């Protein structure tokens, strides 16, 4: 390392500390963290090694062998799903880096928790950091074990992102077969980003591993990738599970370590310094524009106050959705009654028509003789009425379901209009607020009709009505009419048989029709009651969700206002922060340019 | 005792055939032939997933061309024949034209001047009992997932009327997303178009899990996890690990190999333990009785895992015979579990699957519908064949759109109607060693549960159909296999 580079590195360390302190004051813990890590990377002599590759290629086994300890889970049922950083420390420690609402949190965990987090049990886990008193790490290596980066997954993008902050990348591919197409793709992109080594693993396991190595060498040459190949058998390294030579040379792991140490240094140094400087400038720039936005936002407390009021009103409106006085509930109740009445009338009219028709028919026929044709006719027409009423009921209820959901939706939309998205906001909580409201509206649009669909699941009750009516209602017909006709024999002696039979039959038809009417009314009432309960329960459950969400929005808006109030008092401080950032940026840019000028 | 639905279908088909118009005769004759044919099982997977090795292991000899020539890009059917024969077939059902081939340790086929694109599939006949009840179909491997690959596989599996394939074996790698994507794309195309039994195989299980003696235990644990995985469960009825190379070599074990292994196993234990820790150390082993070439050859045939397993067996029992060693290795390889799973999921049901295809076809046959008695018989068979109804319901369930039946219930119902095997224990997911009383109470519980669903006035008609079939299945179990003594 030249002394020029040394001076530059020290300067970066200095700047990064100032920058981190400043950014902390700007309440941008994330940027401060970035600044610190940039400084640490430049100042320390540590070579950061990224270990990437597809599923089950032996990444974790390799990391374990390099570190000399079982630090990466070897539980075969759980693939690594969170990047794991292994760094040196005199005392072993496990840390978990988690995403919190506004910040990144870092906390000590037990080894067991760290393992679980590696396996993806913590949804908020970003990285697992393991500090290990390992000989190899102490000599200046830091390893990052990446989740499997297969063909088209997000993991691949994450791997490339992580490669940007690494000094060397290892693409791990096992000796079972030559590089696959997705692997070549990843390797090419890695080579564009960082010094990359292709590590062929499992050479202890595959008889023809030399052929695969040759094939891979040929592929590297054909693709003209600036990438060297190393073959290892990590399992027979002293740290691996298999029996091993005392020298451990056979595993190829020590050779790999040596290459990592030397390969990463000289050429990478200059680039690293430039990158770190650029990174600091970017972080400060971002912090500055955040402060600038804050300055503008603090002046706009009125708007924030409005927002709180709107959130309050929204909450009330959401709560109102649950009350029996809400439009949709009134609509539901009124319409159900209306539908019941209307359908009752409809059935009554139609049945009355049938009675009239039956009576006039009975005047012409002798029920004693023509009963065989008359009875099926009567069954048929009254069955038709039942079906007609039922399908009308289905249509009306489906319509009603839509109306009620619409009424609910209107009120809901009204409840949510409070949160307009017109003005851009400066800080995270506002973004959360907006996106959460936006998310809910979108969800409603998507789910609205699904809810409607399941609400009209109540309609299923009607589907069974047909069966109920044909079984329970039409069956007694024969009994009723049969009884009516049975009596005719006695009376027929005194009056004209046929007339009496006709009269009895007419009466029986009327009684039968009345029964049909009663049963239709009853089943309709039951169906409608069922629908009404289901619809109400479901929509109230939705309203409960909304109330909960609105309460949360209100809290967020209130916090934002409080923040703004507090920030106003810090107005001077914010202005000072900006000035200091500008000052630091100025200092960073000057010597960086100077260094660049000298090298030219 | 009435005839079984399968027999009934058969005789109905025969009668219809006797009366059929010339126009229809060919199609019906083809159906009649299909009845006698062994089950067709396709093997699908990525390139180099070990398809050919697994196929050789299933057949019990090295018949699959492992060479990466044109042959592996053409689907190849392996069926039983009186003697070895290879034919190029240009469409399903035609006899095809014979190709010349050489049979050394492997089968080398000469496509001669044939344009691979004009060949629908290669037909390899082998005189082996292993193929007496199944025809294996090696599908071309795919290098990566593309809609085109899924479509071609689907075209292949679905081109005939109904399904020409009764079961599919998918070679999976450990949790690889591309496998899952392929399975899903594939499943969404074939689901509901035939009750095809599907089985996942963790292939090359020995290699993926590090080649230790415990590799297969690890592979079994992973299979258990995959089997329980909600996404996989909907796609495969079972997942089993197989060390394909070990199974293949064990099935074709030669005496010189046994003796070489025995000699190595008898050497100094420390030396052997060190030697089997890596392939290079095994090759360079300080052992005068065997040459490095022999040892490399053993590695290529068995893999490091197979060598370790064989030496482990021979170390403990130096007098073990070649036959005994072969069955030891077969047991370790997991091929037996794969065969059992295939039997449970595909082979036991194959006649019913075929009968169903035939009945569907007959239901639209003019020759049959013209005859009232025959049409009546068709209806009678359809109404009485509970097994066929189960297949119908299995298809509905696999399509996944039965209202009111969640994913867990869906899996349970599929199990009950025999998708995971038609034995009572398989249907009831009974714990191993469950007694008759326990089975009865399990069946009783399922009966009551689905009876309630079937009778619910709010259930949709299709839900009622599914639940009543499950009820009927439980009744059949309680009345026959589980009838009180």
């Amino acid at each position: 390392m030249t002394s020029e580079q040394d001076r530059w590195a020290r300067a970066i360390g200095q700047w990064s500390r100032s920058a981190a302190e400043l950014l902390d004051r700007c309440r941008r813990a994330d940027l401060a963290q970035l600044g610190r890590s940039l400084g640490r990377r430049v100042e320390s002599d540590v070579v950061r090694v990224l270990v990437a590759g597809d599923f089950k290629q032996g990444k974790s086994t390799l990391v374990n062998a390099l570190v000399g300890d079982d630090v990466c889970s070897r539980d075969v049922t759980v693939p690594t799903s969170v990047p794991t950083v292994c760094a040196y420390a005199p005392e072993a420690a496990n840390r978990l880096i988690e995403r919190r609402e506004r910040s990144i949190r870092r906390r000590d965990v037990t080894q067991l928790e760290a393992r679980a987090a590696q396996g993806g049990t913590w949804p908020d886990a970003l990285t697992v950091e393991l500090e290990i008193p390992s000989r190899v790490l102490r000599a200046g290596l830091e390893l990052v074990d990446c989740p499997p980066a297969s063909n088209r997954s997000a993991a691949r993008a994450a791997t490339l992102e992580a490669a940007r902050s690494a000094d060397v990348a290892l693409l791990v591919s096992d000796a079972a077969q030559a590089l696959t197409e997705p692997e070549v793709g990843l390797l090419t992109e890695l080579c564009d980003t960082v010094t990359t080594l292709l590590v062929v693993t499992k050479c202890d396991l595959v008889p023809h591993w030399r052929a695969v190595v040759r094939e891979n060498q040929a592929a590297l040459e054909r693709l003209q990738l600036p990438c060297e190949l190393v073959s290892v058998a990590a399992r027979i390294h002293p740290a691996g599970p298999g029996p091993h030579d005392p020298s451990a040379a056979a595993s190829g792991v020590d050779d790999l370590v040596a290459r990592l140490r030397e390969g990463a240094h000289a050429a990478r140094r200059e680039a690293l310094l430039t990158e770190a400087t650029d990174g600091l400038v970017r972080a400060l720039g971002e912090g500055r524009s955040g402060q600038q936005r804050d300055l503008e936002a603090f002046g706009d407390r009125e708007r924030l106050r409005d927002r709180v009021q709107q959130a309050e009103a929204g909450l009330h409106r959401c709560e109102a959705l649950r009350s029996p006085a809400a439009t949709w509930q009134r609509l539901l109740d009124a319409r159900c009654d209306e539908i019941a009445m209307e359908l009752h009338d409809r059935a009554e009219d139609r049945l009355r028509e049938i009675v009239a028709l039956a009576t006039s028919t009975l005047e012409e026929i002798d029920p004693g003789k023509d009963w065989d044709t008359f009875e099926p006719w009567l069954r048929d027409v009254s069955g038709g009425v039942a079906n007609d009423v039922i399908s009308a009921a289905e249509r009306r209820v489906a319509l009603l379901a839509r109306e009620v959901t619409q009424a609910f939706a209107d009120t809901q939309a009204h409840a949510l209009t409070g949160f307009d998205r017109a003005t851009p906001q400066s800080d995270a909580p506002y973004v959360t607020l907006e996106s959460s409201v936006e998310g809910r509206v979108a969800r409603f649009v998507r789910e609205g009709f699904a809810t409607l669909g399941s609400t009209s699941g109540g309609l299923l009750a009607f589907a069974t009505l047909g069966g109920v009516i044909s079984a329970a209602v039409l069956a007694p017909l024969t009994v009723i009419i049969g009884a009516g006709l049975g009596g005719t024999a006695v009376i027929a002696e005194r009056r004209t048989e046929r007339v009496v039979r006709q009269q009895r039959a007419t009466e029986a038809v009327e009684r039968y029709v009345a029964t049909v009417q009663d049963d239709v009314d009853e089943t309709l009432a039951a169906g409608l009651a069922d629908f009404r309960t289901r619809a109400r329960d479901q929509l109230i459950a939705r309203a409960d969700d909304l109330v909960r969400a609105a309460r949360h929005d209100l809290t967020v808006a209130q916090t934002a206002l409080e923040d703004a109030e507090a920030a106003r008092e810090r107005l001077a401080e914010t202005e000072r922060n900006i000035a200091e950032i500008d000052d630091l940026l100025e200092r960073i840019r000057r010597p960086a340019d100077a260094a660049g000028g000298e090298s030219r | 005792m009435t005839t079984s639905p399968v027999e009934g279908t058969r005789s109905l088909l025969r009668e219809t055939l006797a009366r059929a118009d010339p126009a229809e005769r060919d199609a019906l004759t083809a159906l009649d032939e299909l009845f006698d044919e062994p089950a067709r099982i396709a093997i699908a997977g990525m390139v180099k997933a070990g398809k050919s090795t697994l196929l050789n292991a299933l057949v019990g000899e090295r018949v699959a061309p492992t060479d990466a020539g044109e042959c592996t890009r053409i689907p190849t059917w392996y069926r039983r024949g009186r003697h070895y024969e290879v034919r190029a077939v240009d469409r399903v059902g035609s006899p095809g034209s014979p190709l010349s081939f050489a049979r050394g340790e492997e089968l080398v086929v000469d496509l001669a001047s044939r344009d691979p694109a004009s060949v629908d599939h290669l037909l390899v006949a082998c005189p082996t009992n292993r193929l007496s009840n199944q025809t294996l179909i090696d599908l071309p491997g795919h290098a990566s997932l593309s809609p085109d690959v899924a479509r071609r596989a689907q075209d292949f599996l679905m081109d005939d009327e109904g399904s020409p394939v009764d079961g599919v074996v998918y070679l999976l790698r450990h949790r690889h997303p591309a496998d899952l994507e392929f399975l899903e794309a594939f499943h969404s195309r074939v689901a509901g178009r035939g009750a095809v039994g599907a089985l996942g195989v963790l292939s090359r299980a020995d290699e993926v899990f590090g080649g230790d003696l415990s590799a297969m235990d690890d592979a079994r644990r992973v299979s258990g996890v995959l089997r329980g995985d909600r996404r996989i469960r909907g796609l495969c009825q079972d997942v089993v690990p197989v060390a394909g190379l070990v199974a293949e070599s064990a099935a074709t074990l030669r005496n010189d190999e046994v003796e070489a292994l025995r000699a190595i196993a008898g050497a100094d234990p420390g030396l052997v333990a060190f030697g089997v820790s890596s392939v290079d150390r095994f090759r360079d082993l300080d052992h005068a009785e065997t040459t490095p070439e022999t040892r490399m050859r053993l590695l290529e045939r068995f893999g490091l895992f197979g060598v370790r397993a064989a030496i482990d067996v021979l170390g403990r029992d130096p007098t073990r015979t070649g036959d005994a060693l072969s069955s030891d290795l077969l047991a370790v390889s997991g091929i037996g579990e794969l065969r059992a799973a295939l039997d449970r999921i595909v082979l036991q049901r194959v006649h019913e699957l075929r009968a169903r295809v035939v009945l569907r076809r007959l239901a639209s046959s003019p020759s049959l519908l013209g005859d009232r008695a025959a049409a009546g018989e068709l209806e009678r068979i359809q109404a009485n064949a509970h097994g066929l109804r189960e297949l119908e319901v299995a298809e509905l369930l696999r399509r996944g759109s039965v209202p009111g039946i969640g994913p867990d219930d869906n899996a349970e119902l599929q199990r009950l109607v025999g998708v995971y095997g038609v034995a009572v224990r398989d249907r009831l997911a009974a714990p191993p060693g469950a007694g008759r009383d326990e089975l009865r109470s399990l069946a009783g519980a399922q009966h009551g549960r689905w009876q309630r669903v079937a009778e619910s006035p709010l259930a949709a008609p299709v839900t009622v159909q599914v639940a009543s079939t499950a009820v009927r299945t439980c009744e059949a179990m309680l009345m026959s296999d589980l009838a009180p003594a």
Side-chain angles (χ1 to χ4, degrees):
Chain A
M1 189 185 298
T2 63
S3 59
E4 181 58 41
Q5 280 183 341
D6 255 349
R7 267 212 308 284
W8 191 2
R10 272 199 302 278
I12 292 178
Q14 196 69 47
W15 299 330
S16 76
R17 275 184 291 280
S18 318
E21 194 189 318
L22 247 173
L23 289 165
D24 264 336
R25 255 191 279 147
C26 301
R27 303 205 290 174
R28 288 300 302 265
D30 52 335
L31 294 175
Q33 165 84 15
L34 178 67
R36 277 197 198 92
S37 69
L38 284 172
R40 263 202 305 273
R41 264 188 64 206
V42 168
E43 280 186 310
S44 80
D45 213 13
V46 168
V47 178
R48 194 176 168 99
V49 182
L50 185 85
V51 184
D54 207 341
F55 278 78
K56 287 307 291 176
Q57 302 291 319
K59 289 184 296 300
S60 297
T61 310
L62 178 65
V63 170
N64 286 344
L66 286 171
V67 171
D69 195 2
D70 252 8
V71 290
C72 288
S73 168
R74 295 189 354 100
D75 183 343
V76 290
T77 56
V78 186
T80 312
S81 66
V82 168
T84 305
V85 179
C86 303
Y88 173 78
E91 295 283 328
N94 307 285
R95 294 223 173 74
L96 183 63
I97 318 297
E98 294 171 298
R99 187 185 298 110
R100 290 274 142 173
E101 260 181 32
R102 295 179 69 176
S103 61
I104 308 283
R105 198 175 77 152
R106 177 190 211 158
R107 65 183 170 105
D108 284 329
V109 292
T110 65
Q111 192 185 16
L112 212 62
E113 286 174 310
R115 284 280 160 93
Q118 282 177 315
T121 333
W122 259 259
D124 293 333
L126 293 174
T127 317
V128 175
E129 279 184 5
L130 305 176
E131 292 186 345
I132 308 152
S134 143
R135 190 178 51 82
V136 174
L137 296 183
R138 186 179 192 170
L141 281 188
E142 185 173 292
L143 303 174
V144 187
D145 183 16
C146 284
S150 64
N151 195 4
R152 53 181 72 185
S153 62
R156 186 179 161 123
T159 300
L160 289 169
E161 181 57 41
R164 261 178 265 290
S165 63
D167 300 309
V168 188
L170 304 181
L171 182 82
V172 177
S173 170
D174 75 24
Q177 60 174 308
L179 287 172
T180 61
E181 229 172 276
E183 281 174 331
V184 169
L186 183 59
L187 183 62
T188 314
E189 285 182 79
L190 280 175
C191 286
D192 286 346
T193 316
V194 59
T195 313
T196 304
L197 288 177
L198 172 61
V199 181
V200 177
T201 53
K202 302 196 186 177
C203 291
D204 52 331
L205 200 57
V206 182
H208 56 272
W209 65 271
R210 287 191 178 78
V212 171
V213 164
R214 273 196 301 276
E215 218 177 306
N216 284 344
Q217 285 283 21
L220 293 180
E221 278 163 33
R222 196 174 56 245
L223 296 163
Q224 298 184 326
L225 288 175
C227 172
E228 284 186 65
L229 185 149
V230 184
S231 55
V232 299
R235 296 175 61 83
I236 57 170
H237 184 263
H244 22 71
D245 289 309
S247 72
S251 71
V253 173
D254 292 352
D255 175 39
L256 176 63
V257 171
R259 279 186 194 228
L260 288 176
R261 293 280 308 139
E262 78 176 66
H265 262 227
R268 188 71 192 132
R269 189 77 187 159
E270 175 96 21
L272 179 65
L273 291 172
T274 317
E275 264 173 40
T277 313
D278 289 351
L280 269 183
V281 170
R282 267 201 306 277
L284 284 167
E286 208 174 305
R288 186 189 192 284
S289 55
Q291 292 285 293
Q292 194 67 47
R293 278 199 304 274
D294 275 357
L295 261 190
E296 287 152 20
F298 299 154
D300 201 6
R301 279 172 307 155
E302 282 315 308
R303 226 182 63 78
L304 288 172
R305 235 173 252 136
D306 283 353
R307 184 176 277 273
V308 170
Q309 273 165 14
Q310 285 164 353
E312 268 166 358
L315 176 60
H316 291 317
R317 285 192 294 261
C318 288
E319 273 168 349
L321 274 171
R322 305 168 67 244
S323 101
T327 343
W328 67 268
Q329 289 203 43
R330 284 203 306 275
L331 184 70
L332 181 67
D333 292 343
R335 281 294 157 81
C336 277
D337 291 344
E338 232 172 72
I339 291 175
M341 286 297 291
E342 188 189 306
L343 293 174
H344 172 84
D345 289 352
R346 186 181 181 128
E348 200 174 20
D349 286 352
R350 295 290 311 277
L351 287 167
R352 220 175 263 142
E353 278 169 33
I354 293 175
V355 172
L357 205 56
T359 312
S360 67
T361 312
L362 281 170
E363 275 168 15
E364 287 161 24
I365 64 166
D366 178 352
K369 289 192 186 116
D370 301 316
W371 188 248
D372 283 351
T373 49
F374 180 70
E375 191 209 342
W377 171 79
L378 186 59
R379 277 172 184 276
D380 208 34
V381 288
S382 44
V385 172
N387 282 339
D388 173 60
V389 174
I390 287 159
S391 59
E394 279 175 350
R395 280 197 304 278
R396 292 303 314 270
V397 169
L399 211 59
L400 173 58
R402 209 167 301 155
E403 268 182 277
V404 170
T405 318
Q406 192 55 51
F408 184 86
D410 289 347
T411 323
Q412 176 181 281
H414 176 57
L416 298 178
T417 42
F419 314 101
D420 67 304
R421 309 186 51 240
T423 327
Q425 284 296 331
S426 73
D427 210 349
Y430 308 105
V431 177
T432 324
L433 178 71
E434 280 157 12
S435 61
S436 73
V437 172
E438 186 188 9
R440 271 198 307 286
V441 173
R443 233 184 358 264
F444 168 74
V445 174
R446 210 171 43 245
E447 285 173 5
F449 272 77
T451 310
L452 166 70
S454 54
T455 309
S456 48
L459 292 180
L460 282 176
F462 288 105
T464 55
L465 282 185
V468 173
I469 287 173
S470 60
V473 185
L474 294 184
L477 170 71
T478 327
V479 183
I480 298 168
I481 295 180
L485 292 177
T488 56
V490 187
I491 308 161
E493 287 172 18
R494 275 178 280 141
R495 299 177 59 177
T496 320
E497 267 182 42
R498 178 178 158 161
V499 174
V500 172
R501 278 205 297 273
Q502 280 168 337
Q503 271 181 6
R504 290 283 171 174
T506 313
E507 285 163 22
V509 166
E510 278 168 2
R511 271 204 303 281
Y512 158 65
V513 162
T515 319
V516 172
Q517 173 85 59
D518 284 352
D519 282 340
V520 166
D521 283 351
E522 203 175 295
T523 18
L524 275 178
L528 282 169
D530 181 46
F531 166 73
R532 200 189 298 196
T533 327
R534 277 159 182 265
R536 179 175 296 139
D537 288 353
Q538 282 193 15
L539 289 174
I540 285 184
R542 281 182 64 77
D544 284 342
D545 287 346
L546 281 173
V547 167
R548 265 194 299 279
R551 262 200 205 114
H552 173 72
D553 292 345
L554 179 58
T555 322
V556 173
Q558 277 165 345
T559 319
L561 179 60
E562 281 160 23
D563 280 0
E565 295 284 3
R568 191 168 171 76
E569 288 157 19
R570 297 199 325 263
L571 204 61
E573 189 194 327
T574 307
E575 280 165 352
R576 208 166 45 244
N577 283 343
I578 293 181
E580 283 184 37
I581 288 177
D582 286 344
D583 196 36
L584 182 56
L585 278 172
E586 180 69 13
R587 267 187 293 149
I588 294 177
R589 286 201 178 109
R590 203 181 323 118
D593 286 346
E598 271 169 36
S599 69
R600 268 197 299 275
Chain B
M1 184 69 199
T2 52
T3 53
S4 80
V6 174
E7 290 164 34
T9 309
R10 182 83 204 232
S11 52
L12 186 62
L13 174 63
R14 289 265 162 90
E15 284 163 29
T16 313
L17 186 55
R19 277 195 312 274
D21 303 329
E24 218 190 339
R25 195 163 292 147
D26 281 352
L28 292 179
T29 310
L31 278 185
D32 190 41
E33 281 164 6
L34 180 68
F35 238 119
D36 284 328
E37 252 198 50
R40 294 176 182 171
I41 296 170
I43 301 180
M46 308 276 274
V47 165
K48 299 225 180 182
K51 272 188 289 96
S52 301
T53 306
L54 187 70
L55 198 129
N56 289 340
L58 281 172
V59 178
E61 49 188 289
R62 298 182 84 163
V63 286
T66 40
D67 173 278
E70 294 287 359
C71 291
T72 52
R73 289 206 267 138
I74 306 174
T76 310
W77 295 38
Y78 297 87
R79 60 190 301 173
R80 194 185 185 198
R82 269 194 288 281
H83 45 82
Y84 288 99
E85 191 183 17
V86 183
R87 285 171 169 276
V89 181
D90 50 11
R91 65 184 166 80
V92 176
S94 86
S97 51
L99 293 176
S100 65
F101 64 96
R103 238 189 81 75
E105 276 197 1
E106 295 172 354
L107 193 73
V108 181
V109 176
D110 183 9
L111 264 185
S113 55
R114 295 294 298 250
D115 169 16
S118 75
V119 180
D120 180 84
H121 63 264
L122 294 179
L123 188 65
V124 176
C126 314
T128 168
N129 281 337
R130 289 265 185 234
L131 293 175
S132 61
N133 64 349
Q134 52 197 292
T135 296
L136 298 173
I137 301 174
D138 190 4
L139 294 182
H142 41 95
S144 61
L145 175 78
S146 68
D148 183 52
V149 168
R151 188 185 52 72
R152 262 192 289 133
Q154 174 233 340
D155 282 353
F156 169 75
L157 290 176
M158 308 308 304
D159 63 351
D160 230 349
E161 296 169 322
S163 158
V165 165
D166 304 299
V168 183
V169 173
Y170 298 110
L171 273 61
L172 303 170
R173 286 162 301 166
H174 179 24
R175 295 241 166 149
H176 203 288
D179 283 335
L180 218 57
E181 280 175 39
F182 176 78
L183 268 179
E184 276 173 350
F186 186 83
H187 180 79
S188 68
R189 283 163 183 275
V190 298
R193 298 186 51 185
V196 175
L199 189 66
V201 167
L202 261 187
S203 55
R204 314 186 95 138
D206 50 336
E207 212 168 75
V208 173
F209 293 97
D212 282 345
L213 282 177
S214 63
M216 288 303 285
D217 297 334
D218 284 348
R220 281 195 184 93
R221 279 170 55 219
V222 169
S223 300
V225 173
L226 293 178
R227 210 175 292 140
D229 185 297
R230 189 166 282 203
R231 280 173 79 190
I232 300 225
R233 204 172 50 191
L235 306 169
C236 295
Q237 281 99 309
D238 204 352
V239 179
V240 292
V242 174
L245 197 59
V246 178
E248 181 196 75
S249 312
T252 58
L253 190 64
R254 290 195 316 263
N255 211 38
D256 59 312
E257 290 168 343
V258 180
E259 291 319 315
L261 286 165
R262 197 192 306 281
I264 298 169
D268 171 41
L271 187 75
V272 173
F274 180 73
V276 296
S277 63
S278 92
V279 291
D280 285 3
R281 287 171 184 176
F282 189 70
R283 182 196 58 194
D284 302 337
L285 190 70
D286 181 15
H287 186 253
E289 292 170 62
T290 51
T291 63
E293 291 71 36
T294 311
R295 292 192 294 268
M296 264 327 260
R297 178 98 192 95
L298 287 174
L299 284 175
E300 268 153 24
R301 281 266 290 155
F302 296 84
L304 192 58
F305 170 75
V307 167
R308 280 173 181 163
I311 286 179
D312 180 54
V313 169
L314 292 170
R316 278 185 283 121
D317 178 5
T319 59
R320 205 101 177 125
T321 63
D323 282 349
L325 179 62
S326 165
S327 36
D328 290 340
L329 291 179
L330 282 175
V332 168
S333 73
I335 191 84
E337 279 111 315
L338 170 59
R339 285 216 178 89
L342 272 178
D343 189 54
R344 211 170 56 237
I345 290 162
V346 184
L347 301 179
Q348 289 180 11
R349 275 232 125 130
V350 74
H351 291 296
E352 280 175 343
L353 281 169
R354 295 281 160 80
R356 191 152 159 272
V357 171
V358 171
L359 284 177
R360 279 187 171 178
R361 180 60 225 271
L362 285 179
S364 63
S365 154
S367 313
L368 179 129
L369 297 175
D371 180 336
R372 276 191 71 149
E377 175 65 11
L378 175 69
E379 244 169 60
R380 199 192 60 76
I381 294 174
Q382 281 173 331
N384 291 330
H386 181 64
L388 303 185
R389 257 208 310 277
E390 284 184 336
L391 291 176
E392 205 80 51
V393 162
E395 197 175 308
L396 284 170
L397 287 167
R398 296 191 73 189
R399 239 180 277 161
S401 52
V402 181
I405 303 285
D408 290 329
D409 285 350
N410 189 312
E412 204 167 328
L413 278 167
Q414 286 199 36
R415 188 172 278 288
L416 203 55
V417 299
V419 172
Y420 297 83
V422 291
V424 169
R425 279 168 197 282
D426 293 329
R427 289 177 186 263
L428 292 173
R436 191 184 187 77
D437 289 341
E438 201 175 328
L439 291 175
R440 271 192 75 79
S441 82
L442 279 174
Q446 293 282 7
H447 181 268
R449 178 167 168 215
W450 299 115
Q451 181 92 42
R452 278 194 296 284
V453 175
E455 282 172 358
S456 158
L458 296 183
V462 56
T463 313
V464 173
Q465 184 198 345
V466 167
S468 353
T469 306
V471 167
R472 175 77 188 75
T473 297
C474 293
E475 281 167 0
M477 283 192 280
L478 288 167
M479 310 266 290
S480 55
D481 296 290
L482 300 178

